[in-house]
Amino acid sequence: MANTLLALSARQLLRNVAAKQTVQSASMSANVAGSFARRLIGKREIVGFGFNGEPSYVDRSDFPFPAIRWKEPNADILALREKEKGDWSKLSVEEKKALYRASFRQTFAEFQAPTGEWKYIIGTGLLILSLGFWSYFGLKAFVYSPLPDSFKKENREAQLARMLDLQVNPIEGISSKWDYEKNEWKK
Amino acid sequence: MLRSSAVRLHLLFKNVGIFKKSIPSTTFGKIKLMSTHNTETDTQFDQRYENFLSSTKIDGWDVRRTDLFGHDLVPEPKIIIAALKACRRVNDLALAIRILEALKDKCGNEVNEIYPWYIQEIKPTLTDLGIPTLEELGYDKPEFALQNVDDMQ
């Protein structure tokens, strides 16, 4: 009994592994017409590995060559590709640019251009910071009662005198710095 | 009982043969599955890439596949020349321009010192093949701006 169960479950396990592999290898052959990847990218030509083997287009500086071309081939581009097979110096600058834009969406200079987003981020940050200050002063002005009397200068001086009278902390603390004979701070 | 189980399991693995297929054969045998110190010298490195890119058997996929721009270095001009020639063989001008852009990107902070020297080194090949420099195309500066996807309605 146990043997049969073991055999069955092991066989099932192995079959699952095999099925998964089949799926994976199928998704890798995205060139098959009607495949899922093909439905996503349309007629765009798969020309390379890209950055992870998926047929996707991303402009990245660490992986400069995307897996697919940016544009689907149309009549203009196909005519240009025919012309591309000849001497490149005979192509005009416009044609060269058109060829580039057929393969790639943005140039390095374009996708690395500063977005200016940092201004927005710093501005928002300072705004939120200022809200904190405003709420503090607002609370100070309208909510909190005034500070107690013990914060006034004469009251604090009186408290200090009282501490010296009581000889608070006479070894290393405040009273050790008071000269009781001359009634002044030790020099 | 355990023994018969083991025998059955063994038979199963043997018959299905899936593990033979799924694991590449290179992991068997004498090859150790551990890293080794790279003993390749810079000259050998340059030569390896130059040889690969100079091969007439490679297609556009292989030119794109090279991890040349993934290293912490600016490739030697001779490698770039080989790459540009490979682009010429596969008739892909856009790829050649992209290589120049990637090269400029690799120059990093020293771009004002390294890049002009580079262009000077590969200029004969560029004129020979009719590949424009980025400055001739105006691609050293952004040409178009894209609308931010977050701003789109």
Side-chain angles (χ1 to χ4, degrees):
Chain A
M1 181 66 194
N3 271 337
T4 328
L5 276 178
L6 180 70
L8 280 175
S9 58
R11 192 172 293 160
Q12 192 60 41
L13 197 73
L14 292 174
R15 197 170 291 147
N16 284 345
V17 173
K20 198 176 166 201
Q21 280 197 336
T22 327
V23 170
Q24 276 174 347
S25 59
S27 72
M28 278 157 88
S29 61
N31 267 319
V32 180
S35 72
F36 177 63
R38 188 42 79 184
R39 267 187 287 151
L40 287 182
I41 65 174
K43 293 198 190 85
R44 299 195 275 174
E45 198 183 342
I46 297 175
V47 286
F49 182 79
F51 64 93
N52 61 357
E54 291 290 322
S56 60
Y57 186 95
V58 187
D59 276 318
R60 289 173 61 156
S61 58
D62 48 352
F63 293 95
F65 314 118
I68 57 176
R69 293 197 196 278
W70 172 241
K71 284 185 186 166
E72 289 191 332
N74 56 29
D76 292 347
I77 294 174
L78 288 176
L80 265 181
R81 289 219 196 289
E82 278 306 309
K83 210 173 168 188
E84 193 185 20
K85 287 176 185 162
D87 192 353
W88 285 349
S89 36
K90 284 177 189 150
L91 294 168
S92 71
V93 171
E94 273 64 42
E95 284 169 333
K96 285 172 181 172
K97 283 188 175 186
L99 274 172
Y100 182 88
R101 295 290 177 180
S103 276
F104 302 106
R105 185 182 186 213
Q106 284 187 296
T107 64
F108 270 59
E110 279 163 9
F111 73 74
Q112 290 179 334
T115 55
E117 201 183 3
W118 64 273
K119 298 171 202 166
Y120 171 77
I121 292 167
I122 291 194
T124 316
L126 290 176
L127 203 70
I128 292 168
L129 199 68
S130 75
L131 277 183
F133 280 106
W134 279 116
S135 58
Y136 167 71
F137 288 120
L139 290 171
K140 186 96 177 143
F142 300 112
V143 180
Y144 297 143
S145 47
L147 290 173
D149 282 348
S150 53
F151 277 78
K152 285 180 188 157
K153 189 149 191 283
E154 55 264 35
N155 293 43
R156 285 191 288 156
E157 279 170 358
Q159 188 172 21
L160 179 62
R162 173 86 179 142
M163 281 167 81
L164 292 175
D165 288 348
L166 292 173
Q167 301 199 6
V168 168
N169 212 346
I171 310 296
E172 293 181 320
I174 189 157
S175 296
S176 67
K177 297 188 170 63
W178 182 257
D179 194 335
Y180 284 90
E181 276 143 29
K182 296 179 189 163
N183 263 349
E184 59 182 27
W185 292 111
K186 282 180 186 167
K187 300 272 158 47
Chain B
M1 190 185 129
L2 270 181
R3 192 172 145 191
S4 67
S5 301
V7 169
R8 289 196 81 142
L9 259 184
H10 176 72
L11 277 175
L12 265 171
F13 280 90
K14 205 171 155 192
N15 291 339
V16 174
I18 180 94
F19 290 100
K20 268 186 235 161
K21 252 189 282 173
S22 65
I23 301 171
S25 59
T26 45
T27 53
F28 292 125
K30 285 177 186 170
I31 297 170
K32 287 180 191 166
L33 288 171
M34 54 190 278
S35 69
T36 48
H37 287 290
N38 188 4
T39 52
E40 191 180 39
T41 63
D42 287 353
T43 330
Q44 284 169 336
F45 175 89
D46 296 344
Q47 197 60 47
R48 179 159 62 86
Y49 274 97
E50 198 189 356
N51 289 347
F52 178 76
L53 288 164
S54 306
S55 161
T56 48
K57 287 175 189 158
I58 62 173
D59 57 5
W61 183 289
D62 293 318
V63 180
R64 285 173 172 82
R65 196 192 65 183
T66 51
D67 53 351
L68 189 55
F69 299 109
H71 294 282
D72 186 16
L73 51 84
V74 192
E76 284 290 311
K78 62 176 184 176
I79 304 176
I80 294 300
I81 288 171
L84 294 177
K85 284 181 175 161
C87 292
R88 173 67 265 193
R89 279 197 297 277
V90 299
N91 294 320
D92 203 332
L93 177 62
L95 185 57
I97 299 171
R98 194 73 164 183
I99 286 176
L100 290 182
E101 289 198 279
L103 174 71
K104 189 173 182 184
D105 183 62
K106 284 305 282 188
C107 295
N109 295 332
E110 309 289 321
V111 65
N112 292 329
E113 292 159 38
I114 304 178
Y115 187 65
W117 173 80
Y118 238 101
I119 291 301
Q120 175 200 322
E121 291 287 308
I122 62 177
K123 192 71 196 168
T125 317
L126 292 181
T127 5
D128 195 27
L129 300 178
I131 301 170
T133 61
L134 303 181
E135 286 73 20
E136 283 165 27
L137 288 173
Y139 282 176
D140 53 334
K141 291 184 180 62
E143 188 181 24
F144 302 118
L146 285 177
Q147 200 186 359
N148 190 335
V149 282
D150 295 334
D151 299 337
M152 289 177 186
Q153 294 296 318

